[in-house]
Amino acid sequence: MERIVYDNIKEQIFYEQLENGLQVYLLPKPGFNKYYGTFTTKYGSIDNQFTPIGKTELVKVPDGIAHFLEHKMFESEEGDVFEEFTKFGANTNAFTAFNRTAYLFSCTSNFEQNLNILLNFVQEPYFTDESVEKEKGIIAQEIKMYDDNPDWRLYFGTIDNLYKENPVKVDIAGTVESIDQITKEHLYECYNTFYHPSNMLLFVVGDFNPEETIQLIKNNQGKRQFPKLSKLERNYIFESNQVDQVKNVLHMDVGTPKVHVAIKDGKSDLQGMDLLRKEIAMDIIFDHLFSRSSDYYKELMEEQLINDTFGYELTFEYSYGFALAGGDTSKPDELAERLRSILLEAKNLKMTQEAFDQIKHKKLGATMKGFNSIENIANSFTRFKFNDMNLFDAIKVYEEFTLDELNDYLDFFSEEAITTMMVLPNE
């Protein structure tokens, strides 16, 4: 097992890739009274076209299947997995994102038992025709509930505006129609391909002995057999920065209009250090434009175009990326036009060294603060690794990032990349 020391943040992490390909990262936290573990597959809602393990032809599966699979994993032949964790005093949960699905537990005692339960239930799928049909009704209700949520519709309406073909434009849960096509055979095909250990990462943090913990994991994994997986082939769809729709308006039962103005990334093939530097650049630029201490934020508040719901969000992943800003407003057209103008003006941004340094120090402080949360460490570390980045190196890269480098990213801001999405009250 490799021991990696990060002096700048006073952490050490233990790493080993097991014979079956599983990557295991252990972060001992002496004195902590809580344990947290995540078992994550690099498989999310956008992975709807791939070559199944053991086959040679690309297949397309129904939208929403990764999320459907996540639901079904909590049902074992013996019963409900939640009850097993409860017996040992642990909380458990899971989430499906565009590009990964994570299963997790947290506890203050019975760490070894709970870690074994996590490994067991994620690697022992149990699907029947009857249980799949039953789950369709449950997930359909969930989809309909989100369809009635104006903020959810605003968010996914914005992404739908941005992309023409990339599956990121589809709701993670799919649609009622798409999940109705899912069969037991679809689930096993996706599971066998994407839940192979070589496509997964286990991250465990807490007050444990790393040598004893890796042995526990090896003992667990040694009891299982997995076929060889030479290379996982999936169909990524890359698009230019040209948006699919410049503007869209949705009418719903809302009291106050909602607006998002978003800008699409046309260079979404970045990984590793290139992606990390881009994220840092955008993090600084959008803080300068839209954080609560920015000049634009103060102006928009004074003009009563925004309120406390205003915010911005950045998403940069392999094959898709975008930034959006917005919130509730009584003047949707005016706010949309102002946000659009601000984004276009950003192409000629002239940030002073003083402003750049202030934002960089603020961001570094927030990043360091994030290391106080073991949940944040575990989930961020996995996301970074799946993008060939290292969370613990991010501090050093951030410290070395310069104002001159920032200016290299200003071509991100172009007119054809901008879209507006509105949710307005019913007429």
Side-chain angles (χ1 to χ4, degrees):
M1 185 163 56
E2 182 182 0
R3 175 173 169 265
I4 309 166
V5 178
Y6 298 92
D7 289 325
N8 57 336
I9 53 173
K10 297 181 173 54
E11 297 284 7
Q12 60 176 339
I13 197 161
F14 293 82
Y15 165 71
E16 183 163 341
Q17 184 165 23
L18 306 188
E19 288 184 12
N20 62 17
L22 177 64
Q23 296 186 65
V24 180
Y25 289 89
L26 306 176
L27 178 60
K29 283 279 196 182
F32 267 54
N33 63 358
K34 184 177 180 181
Y35 302 91
Y36 188 79
T38 60
F39 198 8
T40 308
T41 171
K42 190 176 180 181
Y43 168 54
S45 65
I46 66 169
D47 298 306
N48 62 359
Q49 292 188 62
F50 60 94
T51 304
I53 189 169
K55 297 185 179 178
T56 56
E57 299 291 326
L58 198 71
V59 299
K60 188 174 189 310
V61 292
D63 291 326
I65 197 166
H67 172 259
F68 199 108
L69 192 49
E70 175 219 309
H71 268 236
K72 291 303 302 166
M73 291 305 298
F74 282 94
E75 196 173 286
S76 71
E77 192 166 5
E78 290 74 30
D80 192 331
V81 173
F82 284 99
E83 292 180 6
E84 285 190 66
F85 278 110
T86 301
K87 271 192 254 178
F88 291 98
N91 292 315
T92 186
N93 210 335
F95 66 84
T96 305
F98 292 124
N99 57 3
R100 67 186 191 278
T101 306
Y103 301 85
L104 55 96
F105 78 91
S106 63
C107 63
T108 56
S109 60
N110 301 311
F111 163 65
E112 293 82 4
Q113 291 90 336
N114 286 312
L115 180 54
N116 265 320
I117 294 172
L118 177 71
L119 292 167
N120 291 342
F121 94 83
V122 176
Q123 293 188 320
E124 294 173 1
Y126 177 69
F127 314 130
T128 65
D129 291 325
E130 294 74 20
S131 67
V132 170
E133 288 305 311
K134 181 182 175 186
E135 198 68 34
K136 288 178 182 178
I138 296 170
I139 295 178
Q141 287 299 316
E142 185 181 329
I143 292 171
K144 290 173 183 173
M145 182 183 72
Y146 280 107
D147 280 348
D148 291 334
N149 183 320
D151 290 309
W152 190 259
R153 296 293 298 275
L154 178 70
Y155 180 73
F156 274 96
T158 304
I159 302 173
D160 185 48
N161 281 2
L162 292 171
Y163 288 92
K164 186 175 183 180
E165 296 180 339
N166 191 306
V168 73
K169 70 191 274 109
V170 180
D171 191 313
I172 289 170
T175 65
V176 173
E177 292 75 23
S178 70
I179 65 164
D180 192 49
Q181 301 168 28
I182 293 174
T183 65
K184 177 185 68 177
E185 288 71 27
H186 282 133
L187 294 179
Y188 275 118
E189 189 159 67
C190 291
Y191 178 88
N192 291 332
T193 301
F194 291 107
Y195 282 66
H196 191 281
S198 62
N199 192 50
M200 301 189 71
L201 189 152
L202 177 67
F203 189 97
V204 186
V205 55
D207 187 1
F208 52 72
N209 181 308
E211 296 294 342
E212 293 175 1
T213 302
I214 192 68
Q215 193 56 53
L216 180 155
I217 295 166
K218 285 181 176 177
N219 290 344
N220 181 289
Q221 294 296 286
K223 300 172 187 171
R224 307 173 193 280
Q225 297 292 322
F226 297 94
K228 285 192 176 179
L229 182 62
S230 54
K231 185 182 178 185
L232 209 168
E233 294 186 6
R234 54 187 112 198
N235 188 32
Y236 288 110
I237 296 177
F238 297 93
E239 295 189 14
S240 71
N241 68 345
Q242 178 71 54
V243 299
D244 187 40
Q245 299 176 76
V246 174
K247 182 180 178 182
N248 213 339
V249 178
L250 180 67
H251 290 274
M252 293 184 70
D253 185 16
V254 294
T256 306
K258 298 174 181 290
V259 171
H260 271 171
V261 174
I263 185 162
K264 180 182 177 184
D265 183 15
K267 297 177 182 175
S268 56
D269 58 345
L270 303 183
Q271 291 269 266
M273 200 59 76
D274 290 338
L275 178 59
L276 179 56
R277 289 187 176 280
K278 181 174 197 164
E279 285 190 339
I280 291 171
M282 291 302 156
D283 200 23
I284 293 172
I285 292 172
F286 275 82
D287 186 284
H288 178 75
L289 296 178
F290 296 126
S291 73
R292 297 199 171 207
S293 57
S294 71
D295 291 339
Y296 284 130
Y297 183 90
K298 292 170 186 171
E299 287 176 15
L300 295 171
M301 284 293 274
E302 287 171 3
E303 295 166 21
Q304 299 184 333
L305 290 177
I306 63 173
N307 54 32
D308 287 342
T309 64
F310 182 82
Y312 68 93
E313 180 179 317
L314 308 176
T315 298
F316 294 100
E317 302 286 348
Y318 190 66
S319 81
Y320 61 93
F322 52 87
L324 61 84
D328 294 356
T329 178
S330 59
K331 304 172 183 175
D333 291 323
E334 286 182 55
L335 176 59
E337 188 50 42
R338 287 283 280 125
L339 294 178
R340 184 180 178 83
S341 296
I342 292 169
L343 290 174
L344 286 175
E345 289 168 10
K347 188 177 181 65
N348 301 309
L349 182 68
K350 302 292 183 187
M351 194 183 298
T352 65
Q353 186 67 51
E354 182 182 6
F356 174 81
D357 290 340
Q358 281 181 351
I359 295 173
K360 199 167 93 165
H361 291 147
K362 180 173 74 172
K363 293 292 181 181
L364 276 167
T367 303
M368 291 297 290
K369 190 177 179 182
F371 287 126
N372 293 328
S373 163
I374 59 175
E375 294 86 353
N376 176 65
I377 293 174
N379 290 304
S380 296
F381 186 92
T382 302
R383 186 241 155 197
F384 268 61
K385 273 295 169 188
F386 281 171
N387 279 302
D388 294 333
M389 304 187 293
N390 189 317
L391 175 66
F392 295 142
D393 286 337
I395 295 289
K396 188 169 185 294
V397 179
Y398 223 123
E399 287 173 337
E400 294 173 350
F401 197 79
T402 67
L403 179 56
D404 284 342
E405 283 182 87
L406 186 84
N407 294 329
D408 293 338
Y409 293 91
L410 296 182
D411 62 353
F412 174 76
F413 299 92
S414 60
E415 188 163 8
E416 67 271 21
I418 299 176
T419 188
T420 299
M421 181 67 199
M422 294 183 183
V423 174
L424 304 182
N426 286 323
E427 295 173 337

